[in-house]
Amino acid sequence: MTRSCNEVVFGPVPSRRLGRSLGINNVFAKYCTYSCIYCQAGKTTNLTIERTTFYEPETLVNATIKALNRAGSVDYVTFVPNGEPTLDVNLGTEIRMLKNAIDTKIAVITNASLLYRSDVRQDLGLADLVSVKVDSSIESVYRILNRPHPKLSLETVLEGIRIFSREFPGALITETMLVRGVNDTVEDATSLLEVLRSIEPSVAYVMLPVRPPLEDWVLPPPADTVEAFLNVLRSGLGKNRVVLLGSLEPPHDVSYPRGNLSKILGHIRSVTRVHPLKLEYAVRLLVTNAGVTEKDALRALLNDPSLEVIHYMGQRFIKSRLVSQR
Ligand code: SF4
C-alpha cells in the first residue's frame, strides 16, 4: 500500500507550541486509533491499531528535505498528520534518515495510544520533542471523548505514556482538549493532575475546540470553567508549566515565502488537509504572500473545487475536501 508523496509535506506553518514548523502528513486520511468527537481532520474511516506502511521512507524524506530547502530556517520538522503518526511502521526509519540529513529538530504530535508497544516507544525516542494527548484520566470519559479502538484501554495507554516519560531524553509535552460538559469539571482536573504528575511533562497544554469539530455539538467550556480547570493544574504543576491554547490562529506568519496565487493556494490546500483554517486568515495569507486583492483572494478560495466552506461558532472556515476522499 504505497502512494506518491505529493503534498505529504506542508507549511511551514506558525505553531504556538513549536514556533515555525514544517509539517509531515505521514499517514493516509483517515487512519487513526481514535475517532475523537472534536477531531478537525474528519471522520476516522480506518479505526485501527495495526501499524502499516503508508509512504516509502526515501520518498517521504526526500520530499521533506526538498521542502525544507525551499522553506529556509524552521524551528521543527513535525510529524503531525491527519491521523495517528505512530501507525506508520516506518516512523523510526524516517526520523533516523531525517536526523542524518538535516540539522532541524524533529517533533511528533501523537495521541500516545500505542506507547504501550516497545517498538513505538523506540521510534518516538529518536525525536527531539514528543507531544502526547491526555484528555482524561477517567475510562468512561475517555471512551466518550476519544472513541478509541475497542482493543485499547485507558489504563494501558497511560501506563505506556508513563514508561515513555521515564525513558525519553527529549522534551515531553502533553495536550488536553477541554470539551464543554464532557471533561471540564474541577473533579476532571483533579484526577488529570494526578496523571500529569506521574508523567512530568515540561509543559501541559490545555486546548479548546476553536475549529470545526467532527461532532457539531462539541463546544469549548465557558471562560470561568476553563479558568477553574487551569487553576487546579497550576496548583500542582506550577503556573509556568500550564499553558492555555485557546485562540484560533497563531500570529500571521509573514516569513512564509512569497509566491504567486497558485503557489500560496497550494500551501493552503495542504494545510487544510490537516486542519481547517479560518476563511479570513486564508484571505490574509493570499493578500500578504501572493500580493492579490482581498476580492481576488476570496474568489480564488471560494471557487477552488478542492476546498469547502464550513461554519462553526459563527465563523467561516475552509477545509480540504480531500481529507475525506483519500
Ligand atoms: S484528534 Fe487526533 S487522535 Fe483524535 S481522531 Fe483526530 S487525528 Fe485521531
Side-chain angles (χ1 to χ4, degrees):
M1 185 172 46
T2 54
R3 304 184 192 186
S4 92
C5 252
N6 289 344
E7 295 177 322
V8 73
V9 186
F10 63 95
V13 290
S15 157
R16 285 160 295 194
R17 284 170 291 178
L18 304 171
R20 201 161 182 262
S21 157
L22 187 72
I24 305 180
N25 188 1
N26 65 317
V27 305
F28 300 156
K30 170 77 193 323
Y31 279 71
C32 198
T33 54
Y34 290 173
S35 184
C36 302
I37 55 174
Y38 57 76
C39 186
Q40 305 164 356
K43 197 168 185 272
T44 296
T45 45
N46 290 284
L47 183 69
T48 179
I49 54 170
E50 298 304 322
R51 303 189 84 195
T52 186
T53 295
F54 294 97
Y55 298 98
E56 291 301 338
E58 291 77 15
T59 321
L60 183 142
V61 168
N62 288 341
T64 306
I65 294 169
K66 213 165 132 195
L68 196 56
N69 288 338
R70 272 202 311 265
S73 98
V74 301
D75 299 299
Y76 279 96
V77 166
T78 309
F79 287 82
V80 55
N82 47 4
E84 171 47 35
T86 61
L87 283 173
D88 177 4
V89 76
N90 293 313
L91 180 62
T93 307
E94 289 152 4
I95 296 176
R96 210 175 285 112
M97 288 170 74
L98 281 170
K99 290 235 135 195
N100 286 335
I102 61 175
D103 286 330
T104 314
K105 287 189 278 186
I106 313 268
V108 183
I109 311 288
T110 171
N111 68 19
S113 57
L114 300 182
L115 276 173
Y116 66 87
R117 292 176 57 135
S118 59
D119 59 338
V120 170
R121 292 198 300 274
Q122 263 168 29
D123 287 356
L124 289 180
L126 300 167
D128 299 286
L129 180 145
V130 173
S131 172
V132 295
K133 182 189 290 300
V134 192
D135 288 337
S136 175
S137 57
I138 303 164
E139 181 82 35
S140 57
V141 177
Y142 166 69
R143 302 224 153 254
I144 292 170
L145 205 53
N146 301 116
R147 299 190 294 201
H149 186 279
K151 287 197 176 147
L152 292 172
S153 79
L154 181 60
E155 203 189 321
T156 313
V157 172
L158 293 179
E159 192 46 29
I161 299 175
R162 285 190 194 100
I163 297 171
F164 181 69
S165 72
R166 290 195 290 271
E167 299 169 349
F168 184 49
L172 182 69
I173 59 178
T174 57
E175 60 177 70
T176 301
M177 181 69 88
L178 279 195
V179 176
R180 183 185 297 193
V182 180
N183 64 336
D184 60 352
T185 65
V186 164
E187 291 72 33
D188 286 312
T190 306
S191 62
L192 180 70
L193 174 60
E194 216 173 292
V195 170
L196 293 180
R197 274 178 155 157
S198 69
I199 298 170
E200 284 296 338
S202 50
V203 181
Y205 287 95
V206 175
M207 349 254 284
L208 303 178
V210 286
R211 293 198 181 99
L214 182 58
E215 303 297 345
D216 56 13
W217 54 266
V218 166
L219 290 169
D224 54 346
T225 306
V226 174
E227 201 46 37
F229 194 98
L230 292 173
N231 282 339
V232 172
L233 298 191
R234 286 176 188 137
S235 71
L237 297 175
K239 204 174 158 211
N240 295 336
R241 281 171 69 204
V242 181
V243 175
L244 174 68
L245 296 181
S247 67
L248 196 55
E249 316 287 358
H252 182 56
D253 185 10
V254 287
S255 63
Y256 185 77
R258 302 279 191 274
N260 58 22
L261 181 67
S262 111
K263 181 182 171 188
I264 306 301
L265 256 184
H267 167 67
I268 290 170
R269 284 189 204 110
S270 57
V271 172
T272 57
R273 281 180 180 215
V274 177
H275 64 71
L277 280 178
K278 205 172 152 193
L279 183 60
E280 275 170 25
Y281 183 87
V283 166
R284 202 148 37 96
L285 195 66
L286 284 172
V287 170
T288 313
N289 295 62
V292 297
T293 64
E294 222 174 284
K295 201 170 152 195
D296 285 344
L298 190 61
R299 189 183 302 128
L301 291 165
L302 298 181
N303 289 340
D304 189 321
S306 68
L307 298 174
E308 65 178 319
V309 175
I310 38 179
H311 295 83
Y312 181 59
M313 294 202 301
Q315 311 216 50
R316 284 190 297 173
F317 292 79
I318 50 161
K319 170 179 151 193
S320 170
R321 292 181 195 275
L322 297 176
V323 164
S324 49
Q325 283 175 0
R326 267 168 138 195

